[in-house]
Amino acid sequence: MAVTQAEIDREVARAQEAYETAVAEGAARTAHPTRDYPPYRSSALRHPKRPLVAVALQQDPEAVELGSPAFGRTDVTELDHDLTRQHQGAPLGERITVSGRLLDRSGRPVRGQLIEIWQANAAGRYAHQRDQHRAPLDPNFTGVGRTLTGDDGGHTFTTIKPGAYPWRNHSGAWRPAHLHFSLFGTAFTQRLVTQMYFPGDPLFRHDPILQSVTDDAARQRLIARYDHDRSEPEWSLGYHWDIVLDGPTATWIEEGR
């Protein structure tokens, strides 16, 4: 019989209590969850169990080319960061503008970095053959975009707010609305992936992926804030979300998943 949402909620609560107890007893706070977080069922099978294999560049200098991005400034166009203008018609849903900065641990901007996003449409369905969720596809929305950060580390995407969607972690499992962010660094081997959420979502407390980040401060850093000044009149609602690469205020990254 499938595990229920109530059972998952109890597992999440126990994991949270164990973390807070450990911190109260002197353990350091951590922004990253364990790689085999039990309420997130597939993490028990998907997380690495063996040491990573290092590429011996001193023996094969060209090996790095196997993982290097093939993108340049001339390859990224205005249409890439506006997901609402990539097709002949306008996509359905609530139009949003998401802006922020890519920063290092000292708050300095990280310039010229390729950022990609992908997401479900307004009905909560991805334009991917493996997604057979019975929500409609939108012929005017593919759900992928990219941009390069500016001199101030800034990035902006215009898109459609994604819908929640079911997944098979347990019975009645629904993912909160979110955007996937990918940061490439200087090579594919440096790629970092994370997720951005929207404020006030009632599904937060029921989502084992978000709740696997047991430190509340780190979890809150994954949630964008509504920014009325970034909203465009009669066009889109604005959200602000910075990505911090490392340090004590780093954004959670899907490490080893």
Side-chain angles (χ1 to χ4, degrees), residues 2-249:
V3 177
T4 66
Q5 181 68 62
E7 290 173 297
I8 290 293
D9 289 346
R10 286 193 289 271
E11 289 185 24
V12 167
R14 287 195 293 269
Q16 183 69 42
E17 182 180 2
Y19 172 76
E20 296 297 344
T21 298
V23 169
E25 293 175 349
R29 290 193 172 273
T30 175
H32 292 283
T34 60
R35 292 180 175 180
D36 55 344
Y37 182 71
Y40 183 7
R41 289 296 191 255
S42 63
S43 67
L45 301 175
R46 294 167 58 191
H47 75 283
K49 296 183 176 71
R50 298 181 180 179
L52 298 178
V53 177
V55 177
L57 297 181
Q58 68 276 14
Q59 298 176 14
D60 184 8
E62 294 186 359
V64 72
E65 299 300 327
L66 299 175
S68 297
F71 303 108
R73 290 184 177 276
T74 58
D75 297 311
V76 181
T77 72
E78 289 294 315
L79 289 179
D80 287 323
H81 65 78
D82 189 342
L83 284 67
T84 68
R85 296 170 53 207
Q86 296 174 349
H87 300 276
Q88 290 186 343
L92 298 174
E94 178 185 320
R95 192 181 291 109
I96 61 174
T97 298
V98 177
S99 300
R101 299 175 70 204
L102 181 62
L103 305 168
D104 67 13
R105 66 185 300 147
S106 300
R108 295 172 298 196
V110 182
R111 307 174 179 86
Q113 294 298 301
L114 179 67
I115 298 181
E116 293 185 337
I117 66 169
W118 67 96
Q119 62 170 101
N121 65 19
R125 185 168 176 182
Y126 289 93
H128 192 285
Q129 64 182 13
R130 291 189 62 185
D131 188 350
Q132 297 301 312
H133 173 208
R134 290 178 295 173
L137 289 169
D138 187 337
N140 294 309
F141 190 75
T142 309
V144 293
R146 60 181 182 161
T147 191
L148 290 168
T149 58
D151 288 342
D152 63 348
H155 57 84
T156 297
F157 290 96
T158 299
T159 186
I160 296 298
K161 186 176 181 181
Y165 60 81
W167 61 308
R168 296 178 179 178
N169 187 74
H170 55 276
S171 177
W174 287 82
R175 295 254 31 234
H178 60 278
L179 304 180
H180 297 270
F181 276 72
S182 169
L183 317 169
F184 271 106
T186 58
F188 282 118
T189 53
Q190 297 177 348
R191 185 183 186 216
L192 302 177
V193 176
T194 187
Q195 298 181 20
M196 186 206 87
Y197 297 85
F198 295 86
D201 195 315
L203 291 173
F204 285 164
R205 64 184 295 266
H206 300 298
D207 181 45
I209 294 181
L210 179 60
Q211 294 300 324
S212 70
V213 185
T214 49
D215 187 77
D216 182 63
R219 193 164 56 244
Q220 293 302 316
R221 292 197 291 271
L222 293 174
I223 303 171
R225 62 177 174 85
Y226 173 70
D227 189 340
H228 197 73
D229 291 337
R230 294 175 187 271
S231 299
E232 298 186 32
E234 302 183 30
W235 181 252
S236 68
L237 293 179
Y239 291 88
H240 181 86
W241 189 60
D242 290 337
I243 303 172
V244 181
L245 292 177
D246 59 1
T249 60

